[in-house]
Amino acid sequence: MKNDNTIPTQAHNIIGNGTIIKGEIESNGDMRIDGRVNGSVKSNGKVVIGQNGVIEGTLICKQADISGYVKGNIKVEELTAMQSTARLEVELVTKQLFIEVGAIFTGHCNMGSATTVNNEVKK
């Protein structure tokens, strides 16, 4: 029997337009959401939320690129980018923030060092 000590490659996940997921999603890789998630999304990679994408719940990831709608809590280790079509009603914790003209942000934002954000992400 072969002893396989290889590290699994990062997955690239897509939740397509018209898909509705209720519950928790965890991934070691990048993710794109064009559908709807009611629950929590946790990724060790980048999460892209397309124009039609919706998350109602919690998003925890390394990087976030948001063009759709998010309502709930977001914790991002590095950069959160809100594109012009983004609409957010959130409590946001992130290291860096980019907001494109036209994006709508309602809520609170706590920006800090990577250590501060990592401590918040682990909660």
Side-chain angles (χ1 to χ4, degrees), residues 87-108:
R87 294 172 309 151
L88 285 83
E89 297 176 43
V90 298
E91 298 293 322
L92 172 63
V93 177
T94 188
K95 182 179 177 187
Q96 296 177 317
L97 178 63
F98 169 80
I99 302 176
E100 194 172 89
V101 174
I104 299 170
F105 177 84
T106 304
H108 296 93

Side-chain angles (χ1 to χ4, degrees), residues 66-90:
I66 304 168
S67 297
Y69 176 74
V70 180
K71 181 176 182 176
N73 297 302
I74 301 176
K75 296 179 181 179
V76 180
E77 286 183 43
E78 295 176 4
L79 173 66
T80 301
M82 297 179 204
Q83 306 306 323
S84 63
T85 55
R87 294 172 309 151
L88 285 83
E89 297 176 43
V90 298

Side-chain angles (χ1 to χ4, degrees), residues 41 43 45-47 49 58-66 70 73-82 88 90-98 109-122:
V41 175
S43 172
K46 181 177 184 177
V47 175
I49 302 170
T58 302
L59 171 61
I60 299 172
C61 60
K62 190 168 189 174
Q63 293 182 348
D65 187 340
I66 304 168
V70 180
N73 297 302
I74 301 176
K75 296 179 181 179
V76 180
E77 286 183 43
E78 295 176 4
L79 173 66
T80 301
M82 297 179 204
L88 285 83
V90 298
E91 298 293 322
L92 172 63
V93 177
T94 188
K95 182 179 177 187
Q96 296 177 317
L97 178 63
F98 169 80
C109 179
N110 183 4
M111 292 177 58
S113 66
T115 304
T116 303
V117 173
N118 285 336
N119 288 338
E120 286 292 322
V121 168
K122 291 177 185 174

